[in-house]
Amino acid sequence: MKPILLLTLVLCLTCPLPAGGAVPEAEEGAVISEVTETGTAWSVADPQNPTGTLRNGQPVTQENVLALLAEAKQLWPDGMTWTYSSRVQSGNNVYGSDPETSVGAACVAGYQLSHEEACGAFAAMLSDYVFGPSANPARRLDDNTQVRPGDIVFRVNPDGAAAHVNIAMTTAHDQGGLPCIRTADGNVGGKVQWFDTVPNYPTRVNAEPRWPGESVRVIFTRYPE
């Protein structure tokens, strides 16, 4: 895609959300957007922080992760077009990532999903935006009930192929006897959708199928052990 314009956005969280829920002031240079003929390619600046530190320099805690996710929602809000470029003539958004330098992209690519387009790109980008592109390696959870905000959640079919991936916005809550969460998703009907304020917990995270042919969830976390 041929670049037309280069913009540097200035939304980068420097502290957790206050009690009132307002998004704090931001520092410059968190992400770069490159406007192209078919849409916008996003990239996340890499401060190369050490493991145990989020991209904004704060320690890895659930509170700090949620604060960065709240800011990400301001950057990439509900309804933003986020799908495969072949499905739209203009206005799409993609993640300009490289699995060699992006933990989020490498994790998504490991399940044969695109790290540049659609749900895979959105999940990889949010993960890198929170944890940093190169810090905090991803590891698979042994117990899906230990899911935390910011974790990468794959829906995997019985043949082992991933059908969708999103980002956890909550810990697990029991719903109908199953652990369930709220999520942030790309490519839901071709759009970004944040499920963080819905009244229920719509995404189950059971690791074992309840019947033959049911998909399961495989979860990767970037919280330190």
Side-chain angles (χ1 to χ4, degrees), residues 134-158:
S134 61
N136 303 300
R139 56 185 172 85
R140 182 172 173 173
L141 287 184
D142 295 323
D143 179 0
N144 282 7
T145 65
Q146 300 304 304
V147 62
R148 288 176 283 187
D151 286 352
I152 303 170
V153 182
F154 292 92
R155 186 175 82 239
V156 179
N157 292 332

Side-chain angles (χ1 to χ4, degrees), residues 85-140:
S85 295
S86 60
R87 296 181 181 177
V88 292
Q89 293 184 342
S90 63
N92 194 32
N93 290 273
V94 299
Y95 184 35
S97 59
D98 181 349
E100 299 259 337
T101 56
S102 159
V103 173
C107 187
V108 165
Y111 268 89
Q112 306 302 309
L113 291 175
S114 173
H115 56 86
E116 295 181 326
E117 298 182 317
C119 64
F122 190 72
M125 181 183 67
L126 286 191
S127 182
D128 288 347
Y129 187 77
V130 172
F131 293 96
S134 61
N136 303 300
R139 56 185 172 85
R140 182 172 173 173

Side-chain angles (χ1 to χ4, degrees), residues 17 21 23 65-74 76-79 122 126 149-150 166-171 173 181-185 188 192-203:
L17 286 176
V23 177
V65 166
L66 283 169
L68 275 170
L69 286 170
E71 184 194 334
K73 187 176 180 180
Q74 307 300 312
W76 302 291
D78 273 325
F122 190 72
L126 286 191
N166 47 25
I167 294 295
M169 294 294 293
T170 64
T171 55
H173 291 252
I181 59 172
R182 296 171 180 155
T183 60
D185 299 58
V188 177
V192 170
Q193 190 155 358
W194 294 79
F195 293 94
D196 54 321
T197 59
V198 295
N200 59 351
Y201 295 83
T203 298

